[in-house]
Amino acid sequence: MIIVGSGPAGLTAAIYAGRYLLDTLVIGELNGGTISEASEVCNFPSYKNITGLELTKKLVEHVEHLGVEIKQEIVEKIEKGENFVIKTNNSIYRARAIILATGSKKRKLNVKGEKEFLGRGVSYCATCDATFFKDKKVAVVGGSDAALTAAILLSEYAEKTYIVYRKSKFFRAEPTWIKQVENNKKIEPVFNSNIIEIKGSNKVEEIILDTGKKLSVDGVFVEIGLIPNIELAEQLKLDLENGHIVTDKFQRTSLPGVFAAGDVTNNPLKQAITASAEGAIAANTAYEKIKRGD
Ligand SMILES: Cc1cc2nc3c(=O)[nH]c(=O)nc-3n(C[C@H](O)[C@H](O)[C@H](O)COP(=O)(O)OP(=O)(O)OC[C@H]3O[C@@H](n4cnc5c(N)ncnc54)[C@H](O)[C@@H]3O)c2cc1C
């Protein structure tokens, strides 16, 4: 069996597959996937508070302890024949069953200056880059849990953190994060606003809002949501719903032998624990299928 993706869904599927002694390989571009970017995870059962990187390390250790190999490669093509043929940037593999756990990637702002200043002030990962902004001014764009937790983390380093949000108040984020933002004197929400341009000479210096307001900042952290990675699902012509893979409660997709789990599916809660749960079910269904010799 081949599991594509080494986020919580793929790694949990690997733990179950390892316990079932299935000949399993995980192929993932980034271990931990998006959870590796979470500064604090406070809702993964059995950890009151753990960083995304530490949770990733524990998941990877668990998988490797069971003898399942993780290859850091990118799957570029999957073809269906008698078996599945999986082509990566490095090699070709064959499998009888596939679990797609490809998760999602960050949505871009698509404004002038975003691409030009990537790595020179524009970032999509506060956990990775917050320390570069000690005593600086930064803006986080968005109003979700991810945006608010990014702002809370950044406020530990930056002298000032703006949260630029298009709505009039935060309503999508967890009340705990909203309260922490409201009580943090170094964070200033800027509501009813969108960034229309990021400006600077060598690096970010200013953002222009659609209200006409200009803010001097050294960094812009974009947290405006995620886009599911469905390129492989499209190649396999799987049924999709709102850009996500449709699965049944056994994590079967519309193509026999292909299962899907985590943020790439049409599940209603995009979290590490639900991704892990779907990974466990997908591995179990795949195991039943392989055992039957289907
Ligand atoms: C900033 C932030 C904070 C968060 N905080 C929390 C939190 O506190 N609690 C919580 O429960 N959830 C949190 N989440 C959500 C959580 O991260 C996701 O729900 C979870 O990671 C989904 O897991 P997944 O395995 O489905 O997908 P992902 O984590 O997105 O993993 C996808 C995997 O697929 C790989 N991949 C994709 N395409 C390919 C390809 N073609 N070839 C090879 N590999 C590929 C990626 O490299 C990655 O390994 C947060 C998310 C963000 C962005």
Side-chain angles (χ1 to χ4, degrees):
M1 178 161 81
I2 284 188
I3 298 167
V4 187
S6 52
L11 294 175
T12 309
I15 290 168
Y16 277 71
R19 299 274 305 160
Y20 292 144
L21 302 179
L22 277 181
D23 183 6
T24 305
L25 173 67
V26 181
I27 306 174
E29 191 181 352
L30 173 72
N31 282 350
T34 52
I35 202 69
S36 66
E37 296 180 12
S39 48
E40 278 186 89
V41 181
C42 307
N43 52 11
F44 196 86
S46 83
Y47 298 111
K48 287 193 275 305
N49 189 325
I50 186 166
T51 66
L53 281 174
E54 188 61 21
L55 183 58
T56 299
K57 197 169 148 238
K58 285 180 183 289
L59 283 165
V60 168
E61 274 169 12
H62 197 162
V63 171
E64 290 178 344
H65 164 76
L66 291 163
V68 178
E69 192 182 358
I70 305 170
K71 286 205 185 254
Q72 223 151 346
E73 293 175 20
I74 301 169
V75 177
E76 292 171 343
K77 204 165 173 46
I78 303 180
E79 283 163 9
K80 167 110 178 93
E82 202 183 318
N83 287 317
F84 293 97
V85 179
I86 295 102
K87 294 184 179 157
T88 71
N89 56 327
N90 196 38
S91 213
I92 297 181
Y93 305 92
R94 282 181 173 72
R96 283 177 57 193
I98 290 182
I99 297 178
L100 290 179
T102 48
S104 49
K105 56 178 161 283
K106 293 277 172 76
R107 191 183 292 280
K108 304 273 188 299
L109 267 177
N110 289 325
V111 298
K112 204 170 159 209
E114 182 181 23
K115 231 190 253 165
E116 293 84 330
F117 292 112
L118 180 65
R120 288 186 294 137
V122 173
S123 169
Y124 299 88
C125 178
T127 310
C128 321
D129 298 334
T131 52
F132 301 129
F133 293 87
K134 194 163 173 3
D135 302 327
K136 307 254 181 203
K137 289 186 182 146
V138 296
V140 176
V141 194
S144 62
D145 284 342
L148 269 54
T149 51
I152 293 163
L153 175 71
L154 281 159
S155 72
E156 289 175 25
Y157 302 91
E159 145 203 324
K160 175 93 189 176
T161 302
Y162 297 102
I163 305 179
V164 179
Y165 187 38
R166 63 197 165 103
K167 305 273 182 183
S168 58
K169 61 174 185 166
F170 298 121
F171 65 96
R172 280 178 54 209
E174 267 184 36
T176 328
W177 302 129
I178 299 177
K179 212 168 168 189
Q180 281 193 37
V181 162
E182 285 169 351
N183 292 335
N184 188 322
K185 290 196 169 48
K186 288 167 83 186
I187 301 179
E188 182 182 329
V190 183
F191 292 118
N192 298 312
S193 303
N194 295 290
I195 294 185
I196 54 171
E197 190 177 348
I198 300 168
K199 290 176 92 169
S201 45
N202 226 349
K203 52 181 192 50
V204 170
E205 287 168 10
E206 187 180 57
I207 51 173
I208 317 288
L209 307 183
D210 58 355
T211 54
K213 200 169 173 177
K214 296 174 181 178
L215 297 173
S216 310
V217 292
D218 306 281
V220 180
F221 287 79
V222 183
E223 286 293 355
I224 54 168
L226 299 159
I227 303 174
N229 292 318
I230 52 163
E231 295 78 5
L232 299 171
E234 284 176 332
Q235 279 177 21
L236 291 165
K237 298 191 170 51
L238 303 186
D239 285 352
L240 302 174
E241 182 184 73
N242 296 326
H244 292 80
I245 302 173
V246 176
T247 60
D248 64 9
K249 65 178 180 179
F250 298 99
Q251 303 308 130
R252 290 181 295 215
T253 69
S254 53
L255 183 64
V258 180
F259 308 88
D263 280 11
V264 76
T265 75
N266 60 341
N267 81 32
L269 182 64
K270 308 291 186 222
Q271 289 279 281
I273 187 64
T274 44
S276 284
E278 289 195 349
I281 297 171
N284 183 62
T285 313
Y287 168 66
E288 294 290 341
K289 176 187 156 57
I290 290 170
K291 203 171 64 172
R292 280 194 314 267
D294 292 1

